[in-house]
Amino acid sequence: MDIDRQPGISFDAVLLRYALFEEREPPSPERQEGLNLSFSSKSRMLGEGVERGEVILSVTVEPEGDNPPFRVQVSVSGLFGYQIGTDRNLELEEFLAQQAVALLLPYVREAVTNLTARTAFGPVIIPPVNVRAMLAEARPDELGPPVGVRD
């Protein structure tokens, strides 16, 4: 890839694939200190000879502690392809595996915040995440399959 040129990839759609808010216990007056975040992702080409691909990014969010009072799960799908009339500067499969996850993270963050905003616990905002480090450190089996999404 020529780092001085654009990749020639289009971002065609963002789809909410799954959303769950589960209250396990009523809220307590004590403020929750931290969050446990568990991410998973999956990428695939959308058929043989088709120059489009999909990435699904999922997150499970629970407050820290032995008995978290709630759980949130969100899966967001992004559809990508090659831009028409531009030179390809990056293979789509490489883009899906490395950069698409970072593009989907703000949509996952927004979905979690919107889902929790009207709960008794208040809005949950996922903090900044170093996606490159998350992907580099994780073995493929650690990220696991996306939550709530069927093939």
Side-chain angles (χ1 to χ4, degrees), residues 46-89:
L46 296 176
E48 204 166 310
V50 177
E51 296 184 329
R52 287 180 50 122
E54 175 185 42
V55 172
I56 301 170
L57 178 62
S58 298
V59 66
T60 299
V61 181
E62 296 178 315
E64 290 179 342
D66 294 333
N67 297 309
F70 69 88
R71 177 179 63 155
V72 178
Q73 291 183 311
V74 168
S75 291
V76 172
S77 169
L79 302 177
F80 301 88
Y82 288 112
Q83 287 179 337
I84 297 171
T86 61
D87 292 332
R88 296 177 182 177
N89 188 31

Side-chain angles (χ1 to χ4, degrees), residues 33-140:
E33 289 302 314
L35 296 172
N36 288 323
L37 303 172
S38 175
F39 289 95
S40 60
S41 69
K42 176 183 178 181
S43 64
R44 65 183 177 127
M45 296 301 291
L46 296 176
E48 204 166 310
V50 177
E51 296 184 329
R52 287 180 50 122
E54 175 185 42
V55 172
I56 301 170
L57 178 62
S58 298
V59 66
T60 299
V61 181
E62 296 178 315
E64 290 179 342
D66 294 333
N67 297 309
F70 69 88
R71 177 179 63 155
V72 178
Q73 291 183 311
V74 168
S75 291
V76 172
S77 169
L79 302 177
F80 301 88
Y82 288 112
Q83 287 179 337
I84 297 171
T86 61
D87 292 332
R88 296 177 182 177
N89 188 31
L90 181 63
E91 290 300 317
L92 188 56
E93 293 88 347
E94 182 181 345
F95 176 85
L96 295 175
Q98 296 179 9
Q99 296 179 20
V101 171
L103 289 176
L104 291 176
L105 185 58
Y107 297 97
V108 168
R109 180 179 290 117
E110 179 213 15
V112 168
T113 301
N114 285 338
L115 192 60
T116 57
R118 294 181 187 248
T119 69
F121 299 95
V124 173
I125 301 173
I126 296 175
V129 174
N130 183 337
V131 175
R132 179 179 280 178
M134 177 183 74
L135 293 174
E137 293 171 3
R139 296 187 314 261

